[in-house]
Amino acid sequence: MVTFSKFVFFKWVQFFNRNPKRLVGQLKYITIAFICLFLQSYSAFSQFIIHVQDWEGVSGSGNWIRDELPTNKWTRGTDNNGVLKGSKATYISNDDVTFGYNETISSEAYAYKDISFPSTGDFYVKFDWKCNAEPGFDYFKVFLVPTSTTLSETDLEVESLGFKVGLNEYSGQATFTETNYALSTDENNLVRGNTYRIVFLWVNDDNTSFGEPAAIDNIIVSDGDATQPLSGTYQIGKNSAGSQRFDSLMHATALLNMNGVSGNVNFELTDESFPIKTGDLPLRIEDFNSNPSSTVSNAEFILQPIQNGSITPTISGTKQGSIFLIDRANNITINGDNGGSLSKDLSIENNSVTMPVVIQLGSDIGSAVANENITIKNSTIYLNGITGTGLLISDYIDETAAGLFNTITISNNNFLGGEKAIDVIGDNGSANGSGLSIQNNSINDNINPQGLTGIEINGTDKVMDFVRESFPEWSRYHALQIREKKNKDGETEYAVT
């Protein structure tokens, strides 16, 4: 019995038997199509993050465990000599502060974390490192082993179900360099669907030091290569889909800071709820345009709900300090509209009762590093207490010190709770305070109707454009305060003009 499909196949073979050159041409097109489909399916996993650790949070965040027994041990520290990016890294220290070690006391020190690998994928382990110690005697190694493996160099080396990540040993490197290790086929088969422990082992003997010990920054475990600069639109959340996605907002911001950009970047939130662990706060957005890995210098970044008119996400956390820190960065927009008609669909909440901040724009006057071209719009900014500030413009480290900024727009937001809705701390230097626009915001509060300040502007030069702000009418409410700052001798340090 000849079916229709058999008949078509017969006619197809008969046609190409008489026209073999046409068959070769068709096969080329088919081959190209298969290659494109393969590359597309591979890129769908090109930036799926399993774990990221940049060490910028508090001790214990990310659930890394460090052996506390040896004299020379891994610590999460701020010694600039042991940090590549940001303000923290993990490095070997003999006093829990300084990047350095006591070469006269032998040590084995461990920093490790258990990683749950998906059942499918081709995995990479990436980290930045340096170690300029005595080769062969003072070094570090990296392993992926079952969680039952005993933590000793001997047992890690002989574990039949484990393997080394990258080099046999890491040493002889005076400046930070990157390792991006692709697991082999056999190694992928071992870890798929299992929980494996990544172990950073430091070893030194009790002889003369050769130089500096190990320092590690910016660890990424990913399905596919996750080291390329970011560009384009990324869906963020458990419901994210497509070829560029992150399941975690913390992962997404960390990779933006680590990898830099090669074009404009748009993060679109796909979930209703984004609770952030305290140890992962603040969510930093650093100067991605100045990142050494970036290939462009004037890219723009947008954080917003997915533009489908229906998602109303809430980003929440509990932190003394800020939920978001825009850290000496430019060209950033936080837009709360989900594609409707300027609706306020994004909420950002800080539930701390001790000096919370929702969004901080932090700059560095001493180094003349400003926040420029920042827009916060169409959002609800919520403090669940009677202290703190909704939006703070200040120094990036000292929240009470003056910041350096240009072209800041705060528009069409709801501010709820806290002591101050908007607090701008400026300096009347020639580069400061130009183009501050605060307009069409609703500043209302049913938590702290006594003593709330709507907008406070301290020492800001060339200010601003107030348009149609909505304030309540409580008796002890300061709708708007504009004032200068005095030094200890009563002289004006900076003033509003």
Side-chain angles (χ1 to χ4, degrees), residues 229-246:
L230 275 59
S231 181
T233 296
Y234 296 78
Q235 290 193 7
I236 314 296
K238 302 298 183 184
N239 296 317
S240 59
S243 61
Q244 299 196 133
R245 58 178 291 263
F246 297 98

Side-chain angles (χ1 to χ4, degrees), residues 417-437:
E419 182 181 1
K420 300 176 183 178
I422 300 170
D423 189 4
V424 180
I425 307 174
D427 182 299
N428 71 337
S430 60
N432 187 72
S434 176
L436 172 63
S437 177

